[in-house]
PDB file of all heavy atoms in Angstrom:
ATOM      1  N   LEU Y 235       7.168 194.694 113.886  1.00 71.00           N
ATOM      2  CA  LEU Y 235       8.126 194.140 114.845  1.00 71.00           C
ATOM      3  C   LEU Y 235       7.817 192.693 115.206  1.00 71.00           C
ATOM      4  O   LEU Y 235       8.526 192.085 116.006  1.00 71.00           O
ATOM      5  CB  LEU Y 235       8.144 194.998 116.116  1.00 71.00           C
ATOM      6  CG  LEU Y 235       8.674 196.427 115.960  1.00 71.00           C
ATOM      7  CD1 LEU Y 235       8.490 197.205 117.264  1.00 71.00           C
ATOM      8  CD2 LEU Y 235      10.150 196.415 115.552  1.00 71.00           C
ATOM      9  N   GLY Y 236       6.747 192.157 114.637  1.00 71.00           N
ATOM     10  CA  GLY Y 236       6.407 190.765 114.873  1.00 71.00           C
ATOM     11  C   GLY Y 236       5.490 190.520 116.048  1.00 71.00           C
ATOM     12  O   GLY Y 236       5.283 189.364 116.431  1.00 71.00           O
ATOM     13  N   GLN Y 237       4.934 191.568 116.586  1.00 74.00           N
ATOM     14  CA  GLN Y 237       4.041 191.390 117.734  1.00 74.00           C
ATOM     15  C   GLN Y 237       2.642 190.999 117.252  1.00 74.00           C
ATOM     16  O   GLN Y 237       2.107 191.589 116.321  1.00 74.00           O
ATOM     17  CB  GLN Y 237       3.951 192.669 118.560  1.00 74.00           C
ATOM     18  CG  GLN Y 237       3.146 192.507 119.842  1.00 74.00           C
ATOM     19  CD  GLN Y 237       2.975 193.828 120.573  1.00 74.00           C
ATOM     20  OE1 GLN Y 237       2.330 194.751 120.076  1.00 74.00           O
ATOM     21  NE2 GLN Y 237       3.548 193.926 121.777  1.00 74.00           N
ATOM     22  N   ASN Y 238       2.067 190.001 117.895  1.00 76.00           N
ATOM     23  CA  ASN Y 238       0.686 189.607 117.632  1.00 76.00           C
ATOM     24  C   ASN Y 238      -0.207 190.577 118.393  1.00 76.00           C
ATOM     25  O   ASN Y 238      -0.533 190.363 119.558  1.00 76.00           O
ATOM     26  CB  ASN Y 238       0.458 188.170 118.098  1.00 76.00           C
ATOM     27  CG  ASN Y 238      -0.926 187.652 117.739  1.00 76.00           C
ATOM     28  OD1 ASN Y 238      -1.858 188.428 117.508  1.00 76.00           O
ATOM     29  ND2 ASN Y 238      -1.070 186.343 117.678  1.00 76.00           N
ATOM     30  N   GLN Y 239      -0.621 191.655 117.716  1.00 73.00           N
ATOM     31  CA  GLN Y 239      -1.284 192.724 118.445  1.00 73.00           C
ATOM     32  C   GLN Y 239      -2.634 192.332 119.042  1.00 73.00           C
ATOM     33  O   GLN Y 239      -2.930 192.686 120.184  1.00 73.00           O
ATOM     34  CB  GLN Y 239      -1.439 193.963 117.562  1.00 73.00           C
ATOM     35  CG  GLN Y 239      -1.749 195.197 118.420  1.00 73.00           C
ATOM     36  CD  GLN Y 239      -1.690 196.465 117.626  1.00 73.00           C
ATOM     37  OE1 GLN Y 239      -2.191 196.515 116.502  1.00 73.00           O
ATOM     38  NE2 GLN Y 239      -1.105 197.500 118.205  1.00 73.00           N
ATOM     39  N   PRO Y 240      -3.504 191.619 118.317  1.00 74.00           N
ATOM     40  CA  PRO Y 240      -4.771 191.218 118.955  1.00 74.00           C
ATOM     41  C   PRO Y 240      -4.560 190.431 120.244  1.00 74.00           C
ATOM     42  O   PRO Y 240      -5.279 190.628 121.229  1.00 74.00           O
ATOM     43  CB  PRO Y 240      -5.446 190.365 117.869  1.00 74.00           C
ATOM     44  CG  PRO Y 240      -4.889 190.888 116.592  1.00 74.00           C
ATOM     45  CD  PRO Y 240      -3.476 191.237 116.893  1.00 74.00           C
ATOM     46  N   LEU Y 241      -3.557 189.545 120.230  1.00 82.00           N
ATOM     47  CA  LEU Y 241      -3.277 188.762 121.436  1.00 82.00           C
ATOM     48  C   LEU Y 241      -2.834 189.655 122.578  1.00 82.00           C
ATOM     49  O   LEU Y 241      -3.341 189.530 123.707  1.00 82.00           O
ATOM     50  CB  LEU Y 241      -2.190 187.723 121.131  1.00 82.00           C
ATOM     51  CG  LEU Y 241      -1.667 186.938 122.348  1.00 82.00           C
ATOM     52  CD1 LEU Y 241      -2.779 186.106 122.975  1.00 82.00           C
ATOM     53  CD2 LEU Y 241      -0.482 186.063 121.951  1.00 82.00           C
ATOM     54  N   TRP Y 242      -1.929 190.574 122.312  1.00 82.00           N
ATOM     55  CA  TRP Y 242      -1.414 191.420 123.384  1.00 82.00           C
ATOM     56  C   TRP Y 242      -2.407 192.486 123.822  1.00 82.00           C
ATOM     57  O   TRP Y 242      -2.385 192.922 124.974  1.00 82.00           O
ATOM     58  CB  TRP Y 242      -0.086 192.046 122.970  1.00 82.00           C
ATOM     59  CG  TRP Y 242       1.009 191.029 123.009  1.00 82.00           C
ATOM     60  CD1 TRP Y 242       1.612 190.399 121.964  1.00 82.00           C
ATOM     61  CD2 TRP Y 242       1.591 190.469 124.191  1.00 82.00           C
ATOM     62  NE1 TRP Y 242       2.527 189.486 122.404  1.00 82.00           N
ATOM     63  CE2 TRP Y 242       2.536 189.506 123.774  1.00 82.00           C
ATOM     64  CE3 TRP Y 242       1.395 190.682 125.553  1.00 82.00           C
ATOM     65  CZ2 TRP Y 242       3.299 188.775 124.675  1.00 82.00           C
ATOM     66  CZ3 TRP Y 242       2.153 189.941 126.457  1.00 82.00           C
ATOM     67  CH2 TRP Y 242       3.082 189.011 126.022  1.00 82.00           C
TER      68      TRP Y 242
END
Side-chain angles (χ1 to χ4, degrees):
L235 294 174
Q237 186 185 65
N238 185 338
Q239 197 171 43
L241 173 63
W242 286 105

